[in-house]
Amino acid sequence: MLSRRGLLAGSALTLLAGCSSAQPAPGPPPVPAPTRPSAPRDPVTVQRMHSAARGTDVDLVLITPEGVPASGLPVCLALHGRGARARTFLDLGVPAALTQAVREGVPPFAVAALDGDHYWVDVGEDDDPQRMLTDEVPGWLAARDLRPASAVFGISMGGFGALRFARAHPDLKAVATASAALFVSWPDARSRKVFSDEANWRAEEPLLHTGELRPDALGVWCGESDPFLGADRKLVKAVSPAVSRFSPGAHKDEYWRGILPDVLKFVGQRLS
């Protein structure tokens, strides 16, 4: 016969065994579901994106007017000059200039700057910035609850790229260039050591395809001491853009900072 003490001990062991069998051994913590990008909450966001078209990672710099919800805003692409990068538009003061433009009545929009190279075109090096802009950037913007790009602004080399993008996208509402790096001849272009050959340059050079540009959507700015002044004047003569401004200034940051308010106003009024 079991003693009272043994009976109690056995009952306790049975109870403990039952509790332990009801609780499985702890496993690895659950893997959180990947978070989907959302509309930017800050006036400036910088994210590293992989571009298959370019075969490398690039910065995506999104700039929105301060105090304005980013969700659903129209977008203007911003293409930098040679030797610069997407973050250059931060150094030029685009965030403050964009916010000020909206405070002065310009309809709000977002600026999306990307990293590019070799005049923003394919020169046969498995690096195609135009394909990135056309095939990849729309998805990056949509994932952040922004509308597809309907405008483009380019500085120097970026001006060449902006005009090339405009040729492929005639429905753009605004195309703005500042000190666009254009070439009036193959020897001039060849000296840059960028294009693979003359045929490559001829296929991409905006001055050889001015009939594909819409005058009513185009704005051209250039300093009167800029080395590309002659080429930009040739562009204006061939296209008769909606806006063309030649004013004192050189191929320098100071000039581009000075014209930013006019450029942003030009873009914003056409995106409304």
Side-chain angles (χ1 to χ4, degrees), residues 243-254:
V243 172
S244 59
R245 303 267 169 79
F246 298 100
S247 57
H251 204 83
K252 294 182 178 180
D253 289 356
E254 290 77 11

Side-chain angles (χ1 to χ4, degrees), residues 52-104:
R54 294 209 56 214
T56 188
D57 291 343
V58 300
D59 275 346
L60 169 63
V61 179
L62 293 175
I63 305 169
T64 59
E66 190 171 350
V68 176
S71 181
L73 285 180
V75 176
C76 175
L77 300 178
L79 311 185
H80 61 75
R82 193 175 187 184
R85 55 180 184 160
R87 294 174 189 248
T88 298
F89 288 96
L90 302 180
D91 299 333
L92 290 175
V94 171
L98 181 60
T99 295
Q100 184 61 32
V102 171
R103 288 174 178 169
E104 294 176 357

Side-chain angles (χ1 to χ4, degrees), residues 16-257:
L16 289 172
C19 291
S20 63
S21 64
Q23 297 180 355
V31 178
T35 57
R36 181 181 180 275
S38 58
R41 296 185 179 181
D42 297 318
V44 175
T45 63
V46 180
Q47 292 177 293
R48 200 70 178 159
M49 307 295 294
H50 180 73
S51 169
R54 294 209 56 214
T56 188
D57 291 343
V58 300
D59 275 346
L60 169 63
V61 179
L62 293 175
I63 305 169
T64 59
E66 190 171 350
V68 176
S71 181
L73 285 180
V75 176
C76 175
L77 300 178
L79 311 185
H80 61 75
R82 193 175 187 184
R85 55 180 184 160
R87 294 174 189 248
T88 298
F89 288 96
L90 302 180
D91 299 333
L92 290 175
V94 171
L98 181 60
T99 295
Q100 184 61 32
V102 171
R103 288 174 178 169
E104 294 176 357
V106 173
F109 64 96
V111 173
L114 290 305
D115 287 334
D117 201 359
H118 41 72
Y119 289 84
W120 292 89
V121 297
D122 181 7
V123 295
E125 297 180 356
D126 296 322
D127 180 354
D128 190 344
Q130 286 291 316
R131 186 159 67 87
M132 174 187 71
L133 297 176
T134 297
D135 296 348
E136 296 177 318
V137 172
W140 298 348
L141 298 178
R144 289 155 181 82
D145 200 21
L146 293 166
R147 286 156 60 182
S150 49
V152 62
F153 166 47
I155 295 176
S156 188
M157 175 186 82
F160 187 109
L163 294 169
R164 182 63 184 89
F165 187 71
R167 287 173 52 200
H169 301 272
D171 56 339
L172 289 175
K173 295 181 178 180
V175 179
T177 67
S179 312
L182 307 177
F183 307 104
V184 298
S185 68
W186 167 234
D188 188 20
R190 181 175 55 193
S191 68
R192 304 291 162 159
K193 299 181 179 179
V194 171
F195 303 98
S196 58
D197 53 29
E198 184 174 356
N200 176 222
W201 167 70
R202 287 187 171 277
E204 308 294 353
E205 174 59 55
L207 287 178
L208 299 179
H209 302 273
T210 53
E212 299 175 27
L213 300 172
R214 281 180 44 212
D216 61 309
L218 181 60
V220 176
W221 283 260
C222 191
E224 293 172 338
S225 299
D226 194 292
F228 292 105
L229 176 63
D232 282 23
R233 286 193 183 279
K234 186 174 182 179
L235 172 68
V236 168
K237 184 177 181 180
V239 181
S240 298
V243 172
S244 59
R245 303 267 169 79
F246 298 100
S247 57
H251 204 83
K252 294 182 178 180
D253 289 356
E254 290 77 11
Y255 171 75
W256 299 321
R257 288 193 188 98

